[in-house]
Structures are given as C-alpha cells and as structure tokens.
Amino acid sequence: GRTFPEQLQDSVWTDWVGRLGREGGSPSLGLQVTGPLAGFQVDQRVLQDLLSEKLPRLMAHLGQHHVDLSLITFNWFLVVFADSLISNILLQVWDAFLYEGTKVLFRYALAIFKYNEKEILRLQNGLEIYQYLRFFTKTISNSRKLMNIAFNDMNPFRMKQLRQLRIIHRERLEAELQELEQLKAEYLERRTSQGRAVPEACASEDEGEGEGEA
C-alpha cells in the first residue's frame, strides 16, 4: 500500500488542480494555450511580478546576474513544494494550501526568498547563485519565522491582485504563442514552396539533357 505522505501528496495535487481551475490559473488553461502546464507558466510570470514588488532589491540583484528563477520555482508549484521543504514545514504549507488555496503557494514562495535574501545578496556570481538556489530551501528550519514572513511581512496580498495578474499574463502568453504559431506556419510554407521548386528545376534540367541527346 501507499504511505500516508504519498496519499497526502496525491490529495494535495488533486486539490491543487481543482483550485487552479476555480481561481483562474489552471491546467485547463493549457487546453486553450500550450498544454497542461500552461497555468503553471502563467503563475511563474505572476510570481516574478510579485517578487519585483515585494523584494525589489533581491530581484535587481538576480537580474544583474541573469538568474532565471523559474528554473527553480516552477517545480515548487508543480509539486506543491513536495521535494523542497523539510517535512514538518511542508505539512504546514500543505495544510495552509488546503485551507486557503493557491495564494498560499505564492505567499510561501515569496517568504522563502525573503527568509534567505541576505545570503543570496552576498553571492556575486550567477553560477554560485544557481548552485545555492538548488538546495537553499532545505536550510530553512524555523517554521514559525517562515510562516510569519508569509502571512505578515508579505501583506498586503489580495486574491483580487492575483487574479488580475493571472489575466494579464495569460493574455500575454496567448499572444506570444499565437505569434510563434504564425511564424511557424510562415516557415513551413516557405519550406513547402522551396521543396516544390527544387524538383521542378531538376526535372527541367533532365528534360533539357534528353532533348540535347535526341
């Protein structure tokens, strides 16, 4: 049989998908945009905006070193921090998530960076920052401090703002994908045209040779 943590993770994942659908950032969005992970792509862009608002100094530092946080944070949202936080903190996050919804994931993502902001700001190399970000969530041991940051220091944090940001970034993502589809169609059309032209040229040369021999 499956262990209790495995069963709980399945329950959290099911609730995550359901809540995303109700709150405007779901994998159902992916059916309209770019596959089942589209909702998560939108939320990564939303997180970037919130980080710039709440932790501008940190984001400026990361931007200076060309650090793409989505390489780290995408998996946080995908598995609801399952492989990132130590077990007692993870269970608190899941409990809050089941009670309050996806907004909790943004709260804790912001809180994790705030918790470790000083350490990240000390790093002056992009590679060092990436290496640190690969394991830094496991260094968090003070659950009370993290919770206080998430639910106090990150305020105000309104669901209305989250919905608005999701709408904005969903529309931008759809526009970008439509542009990519158009470029793809134009490229394929050129390839097809070129593919038709080459055989015709070859045939005319063969025909010319045949006429000369005759």
Side-chain angles (χ1 to χ4, degrees), residues 6 66 134 149:
E6 289 173 335
H66 308 290
R134 287 177 59 190
I149 295 172

Side-chain angles (χ1 to χ4, degrees), residues 5-194:
E6 289 173 335
Q7 293 172 348
L8 182 57
Q9 185 173 347
D10 286 347
S11 174
V12 169
W13 170 255
T14 301
D15 193 77
W16 171 215
V17 172
R19 285 180 182 275
L20 274 168
R22 294 190 295 273
E23 296 173 11
S26 79
S28 65
L29 168 66
L31 299 177
Q32 305 163 18
V33 185
T34 180
L37 299 181
F40 297 104
Q41 294 174 1
V42 169
D43 278 354
Q44 289 306 299
R45 298 182 181 203
V46 172
L47 178 60
Q48 296 285 323
D49 281 1
L50 293 173
L51 282 164
S52 295
E53 176 191 335
K54 304 290 186 181
L55 301 171
R57 186 182 174 198
L58 176 65
M59 288 301 286
H61 179 70
L62 295 173
Q64 179 183 354
H65 295 286
H66 308 290
V67 175
D68 182 0
L69 284 183
S70 67
L71 298 175
I72 306 298
T73 58
F74 188 91
N75 195 58
W76 293 0
F77 281 56
L78 187 63
V79 298
V80 199
F81 297 103
D83 56 358
S84 301
L85 298 169
I86 60 176
S87 58
N88 65 310
I89 295 178
L90 176 62
L91 292 175
Q92 289 180 347
V93 172
W94 283 358
D95 184 59
F97 166 70
L98 292 171
Y99 179 75
E100 189 173 341
T102 60
K103 185 167 73 169
V104 164
L105 303 185
F106 290 94
R107 281 189 178 278
Y108 271 102
L110 293 167
I112 286 169
F113 283 109
K114 179 62 178 177
Y115 190 105
N116 294 276
E117 183 177 23
K118 291 181 180 178
E119 287 73 13
I120 298 172
L121 290 173
R122 291 193 187 103
L123 302 173
Q124 298 299 320
N125 177 280
L127 180 59
E128 289 180 351
I129 294 174
Y130 275 120
Q131 290 175 337
Y132 178 72
L133 294 180
R134 287 177 59 190
F135 70 85
F136 80 125
T137 54
K138 296 289 188 179
T139 67
I140 298 174
S141 57
N142 189 333
S143 61
R144 181 168 298 190
K145 177 182 176 181
L146 185 67
M147 185 181 297
N148 184 64
I149 295 172
F151 291 95
N152 292 308
D153 294 359
M154 291 301 106
N155 286 334
F157 194 97
R158 298 179 179 86
M159 193 65 201
K160 180 180 179 181
Q161 179 190 16
L162 186 57
R163 291 194 188 98
Q164 290 173 340
L165 288 172
R166 278 174 163 165
I167 291 170
I168 291 169
H169 286 291
R170 181 172 64 244
E171 291 175 349
R172 288 178 182 174
L173 180 59
E174 288 174 344
E176 290 171 13
L177 291 168
Q178 288 173 3
E179 183 178 356
L180 285 173
E181 285 298 319
Q182 183 177 353
L183 290 172
K184 178 182 175 182
E186 292 172 356
Y187 171 76
L188 291 175
E189 185 177 351
R190 287 196 301 270
R191 284 283 303 271
T192 303
S193 299
Q194 292 170 359

